[in-house]
Amino acid sequence: MLLYLMVLLLSAGVVWIVHPYLVKFAFGKNIVDKPNARKLNRIPVPVLGGVGVFIGFIVSIYIVVSIFHLEFPHSYMFPLLLMLGMGLVDDMCDLTPHTKFVVQILAVLLLYFFCDLRIDNLHGVFGVYDIPMVVSLPLSLVACVGLINSINLIDGIDGLSSGYSIVVSGLFAILAFVQGNTVNLLMSCALAGALVPFFIYNVFGKRNKMFIGDAGSHLLGVLFCIMALNVLDSSS
């Protein structure tokens, strides 16, 4: 357990350090959420919080994986980077809903075909076990795209999406520990650690306040997809 505590603390430390620099960078490049009639913020607020969370998450995981020679599926980085990149572009340029929807589907297809993560077995729920590919693919698409958008839609109040995601990460960590799923335990601890300092900056920060942005909410969504699909796989 000390290893996973190390991941959590390392992730939190990285985000705590890089966050103020990302705030300065966002103001310098005008990557901010500007106030309007539909928004609660009265002044421009940087929206690179998701980048900081990703940096803390990925740096802590790869440091621990390298030091302790643990196995980690590197293929997960492709859908994560795709969602992070799409979200960044959306934060800067406001992509159309159609474009975002297409990229979300592409990310789920990467999970399905490239990362070998899919809903192909309900393990007896409703009496269903193995699911054929003709059903598994659309079911995985609907479930994962829905999950990604659900996280994106709750990102409207300070601390809501990050606070919710800290709780969900903790629940995934407990479930991973029970299942003996080291990959999920590693990811959930790293994510929780990265989100805690962001939550503090987001809710209580003044000079260094920052939003998680579409990049962050999409990143959280696809991470929860990965962990949820891993839970189903571990139940087999």
Side-chain angles (χ1 to χ4, degrees):
M1 289 304 295
L2 287 176
L3 185 151
Y4 299 105
L5 180 61
M6 175 182 171
V7 173
L8 190 148
L9 293 176
L10 183 59
S11 181
V14 170
V15 175
W16 192 265
I17 291 170
V18 304
H19 186 100
Y21 293 99
L22 287 172
V23 171
K24 293 179 183 177
F25 179 82
F27 274 125
K29 299 297 182 180
N30 198 34
I31 309 175
V32 296
D33 185 47
K34 297 180 176 65
N36 60 37
R38 295 173 50 247
K39 298 177 181 178
L40 298 176
N41 52 304
R42 296 291 179 261
I43 59 174
V45 178
V47 289
L48 289 183
V51 176
V53 170
F54 178 75
I55 292 172
F57 172 83
I58 203 63
V59 167
S60 63
I61 282 183
Y62 275 105
I63 286 177
V64 171
V65 164
S66 300
I67 292 175
F68 295 97
H69 306 289
L70 303 174
E71 290 187 5
F72 183 78
H74 305 296
S75 59
Y76 291 176
M77 292 302 104
F78 292 98
L80 289 176
L81 288 171
L82 177 62
M83 285 287 90
L84 183 73
M86 187 272 288
L88 277 173
V89 174
D90 187 40
D91 286 329
M92 293 185 285
C93 306
D94 288 328
L95 295 174
T96 64
H98 177 265
T99 301
K100 290 193 286 186
F101 186 65
V102 169
V103 179
Q104 289 166 0
I105 291 175
L106 179 58
V108 178
L109 290 176
L110 284 174
L111 290 177
Y112 193 99
F113 292 107
F114 196 69
C115 303
D116 198 30
L117 291 172
R118 58 184 66 100
I119 304 174
D120 57 5
N121 194 321
L122 292 187
H123 308 288
V125 177
F126 304 120
V128 179
Y129 288 89
D130 290 333
I131 300 174
M133 181 178 175
V134 68
V135 177
S136 173
L137 179 55
L139 179 61
S140 299
L141 281 171
V142 170
C144 291
V145 171
L147 177 54
I148 291 169
N149 280 294
S150 69
I151 301 298
N152 186 41
L153 288 172
I154 66 171
D155 181 33
I157 302 174
D158 288 347
L160 181 57
S161 63
S162 54
Y164 172 83
S165 297
I166 291 169
V167 174
V168 173
S169 298
L171 294 174
F172 270 121
I174 294 170
L175 188 54
F177 178 77
V178 172
Q179 289 184 319
N181 188 327
T182 56
V183 172
N184 258 19
L185 189 53
L186 191 67
M187 289 194 297
S188 55
C189 288
L191 182 58
L195 285 169
V196 168
F198 170 79
F199 177 87
I200 294 171
Y201 277 121
N202 178 237
V203 176
F204 304 105
K206 294 179 181 175
R207 190 174 67 179
N208 287 324
K209 184 182 182 66
M210 185 155 59
F211 293 157
I212 201 163
D214 270 2
S217 60
H218 280 84
L219 176 72
L220 293 174
V222 77
L223 270 171
F224 290 145
C225 288
I226 290 172
M227 288 190 272
L229 293 173
N230 262 327
V231 168
L232 291 175
D233 188 56
S234 298
S235 300
S236 58

